[in-house]
Amino acid sequence: MRILHTSDWHIGRTFHGEDLLPDQEAALVAVADLVTEHAVDVVVVAGDIYDRGVPSPEAVQVATRALIRIRQAGATIIASSGNHDSAPRLGAFAEFLAAGGLYLRTSVAELARPILLADSSGPVVFYAVPYLEPEIARHYLGVPAPARHQAVMSAAMDLVRRDASQRPSAARKVVLAHAFVVGGSASGSERSIAVGGVESVGSDVFEGIDYVALGHLHGPQQITGRIRYSGSPLPYSFAESTHRKGVWIVDLGPAGEIECQWAALPIVRPLAAVRGTLSEVLGSYRELVDHYLSVTLTDPVRPLDAMRRLRETFPHALVLAWEPPNLRPEIDAPAPGERLVIGGVTSDLDTVDSFLVHCRLLAATHGERSLVEKAITAGRVREAAE
């Protein structure tokens, strides 16, 4: 049986304010194309189909079109809910959708109810374990408080193995799980699932499973030969600019042996980070005009209207930071009620002036000092009157 492993679509996510729905749809069209190209039998989506519990109508339409394309390409679809999804909303009409070849598992109560498929070599049982919030899942799983991710996942996998033991002995077993497995590396765009304690689980909880399709971490990676993350189909942080996004194509043999190959997805819009003065950036990097761009300016003085000027040349500039080369003076934070002291100055006017130097590396102008003096005087007059 040939399986395509993907996860973390996060449909509806924005990227520093940029709408990603067109990019996401393009990436998911490419997933459907891979189904056709590689004659995939089953597509597994290991959680986080949506980025929000209540996705926008536009996000739902993108997801619907993607799932239809994948199904029309000939693959059965098995999906679980992630920590970003609303499990009840995603799982609505699950029984009805199963009749059309889309199997959803979104509740703890259903994690050990397998999807039963078969190929020419016999049966394959799929267990789609949704994201398990410890304090919620522990009640059903019988895990005592305080619950941890390791404890609830161990209990969930005990249920999976118990069900699997009742299946034909030759049945091969595939598990989908949305979790942070020890040995995985986060990329920075994942939402922490550490509420209630340590968020990671050991890979040994998946012992006895022929293939484990993981979701949650956005970088593709291999925990063991049989336990892998596909990562997200698009980069969701500039830290992922070097990731090569794609999916795992997994061939599951008659005796549970696996062969995995990486199938890259097209880069819809590349990411880049550049550094330099505003004039240097505007005069260079013209090859990055179509990239999502993160710019760090090193001008000694913060340039005025820098983002507008950047976007005239780089319309997809999204992030702007200013890091001048000269060091900021060290400031010791004052105790409550004490006056801020920088470089030995103690007057109110000098304190404000030194604060401006610290924040913007420029002292107050004559006009600014005059305005601050008037404000200080007015405050003292009011204080005296009270």
Side-chain angles (χ1 to χ4, degrees):
M1 182 174 288
R2 177 161 286 181
I3 301 166
L4 185 152
H5 168 197
T6 179
S7 72
D8 296 277
W9 291 357
H10 288 280
I11 297 174
R13 188 164 190 155
T14 59
F15 186 50
H16 297 282
E18 189 80 4
D19 180 12
L20 288 182
L21 281 176
D23 294 6
Q24 291 172 325
E25 183 148 26
L28 296 175
V29 166
V31 171
D33 291 341
L34 288 174
V35 170
T36 301
E37 178 184 346
H38 292 273
V40 170
D41 300 301
V42 182
V43 170
V44 296
V45 188
D48 282 351
I49 289 178
Y50 293 112
D51 190 61
R52 299 178 182 179
V54 184
S56 68
E58 294 78 13
V60 173
Q61 290 166 10
V62 168
T64 301
R65 288 194 293 268
L67 294 169
I68 289 172
R69 287 189 187 97
I70 291 171
R71 188 71 187 102
Q72 289 176 339
T76 297
I77 305 169
I78 300 172
S80 59
S81 53
N83 59 302
H84 281 249
D85 296 309
S86 165
R89 287 184 175 87
L90 184 62
F93 310 112
E95 294 301 323
F96 176 77
L97 294 170
L102 169 58
Y103 296 89
L104 295 169
R105 292 291 185 270
T106 62
S107 72
V108 181
E110 291 189 315
L111 65 84
R113 182 165 72 94
I115 295 95
L116 305 175
L117 302 178
D119 61 10
S120 58
S121 299
V124 180
V125 290
F126 290 80
Y127 297 92
V129 180
Y131 167 67
L132 302 175
E133 176 58 47
E135 275 305 307
I136 297 174
R138 75 174 184 85
H139 296 285
Y140 177 84
L141 297 171
V143 175
R148 298 290 185 266
H149 287 273
Q150 175 75 27
V152 295
M153 184 61 77
S154 295
M157 288 306 301
D158 286 344
L159 292 178
V160 165
R161 277 185 283 268
R162 186 182 308 165
D163 181 88
S165 68
Q166 301 171 19
R167 306 296 168 182
S169 58
R172 292 150 290 169
K173 298 174 285 294
V174 177
V175 165
L176 289 66
H178 197 85
F180 194 147
V181 176
V182 173
S185 177
S187 63
S189 62
E190 303 90 351
R191 179 186 297 166
S192 174
I193 55 174
V195 176
V198 177
E199 63 182 331
S200 60
V201 302
S203 60
D204 56 341
V205 302
F206 301 109
E207 183 179 355
I209 305 302
D210 294 303
Y211 184 73
V212 179
L214 294 175
H216 179 56
L217 299 183
H218 292 178
Q221 48 203 292
Q222 176 179 324
I223 306 300
T224 71
R226 296 180 180 273
I227 304 175
R228 298 172 184 244
Y229 285 98
S230 66
S232 57
L234 289 174
Y236 292 126
S237 74
F238 279 99
E240 299 172 49
S241 60
T242 58
H243 289 187
R244 191 65 178 97
K245 299 297 187 177
V247 301
W248 290 111
I249 305 291
V250 182
D251 286 313
L252 184 62
E257 67 273 23
I258 62 169
E259 290 185 8
C260 296
Q261 60 175 308
W262 181 248
L265 291 170
I267 300 173
V268 180
R269 188 177 299 282
L271 277 62
V274 299
R275 184 183 184 90
T277 65
L278 180 58
S279 60
E280 289 170 346
V281 172
L282 292 175
S284 309
Y285 307 114
R286 294 307 175 98
E287 72 279 7
L288 304 181
V289 68
D290 292 324
H291 288 52
Y292 288 130
L293 211 59
S294 173
V295 180
T296 301
L297 297 180
T298 59
D299 301 75
V301 176
R302 184 192 294 270
L304 294 175
D305 212 8
M307 182 58 92
R308 181 191 62 77
R309 294 165 66 186
L310 282 168
R311 284 184 171 173
E312 289 176 350
T313 301
F314 304 102
H316 303 289
L318 300 180
V319 177
L320 177 63
W322 178 53
E323 295 182 7
N326 35 338
L327 297 176
R328 297 182 176 185
E330 293 297 323
I331 298 181
D332 293 325
E338 290 185 356
R339 176 178 289 152
L340 179 65
V341 177
I342 309 174
V345 297
T346 57
S347 74
D348 291 331
L349 182 58
D350 285 341
T351 296
V352 172
D353 195 40
S354 297
F355 179 73
L356 290 174
V357 171
H358 173 71
C359 290
R360 69 183 190 185
L361 303 178
L362 287 174
T365 65
H366 176 76
E368 289 170 338
R369 287 179 67 89
S370 177
L371 183 63
V372 171
E373 278 185 320
K374 291 177 181 178
I376 292 171
T377 301
R380 288 174 179 166
V381 170
R382 182 179 302 167
E383 185 177 308
E386 293 174 351

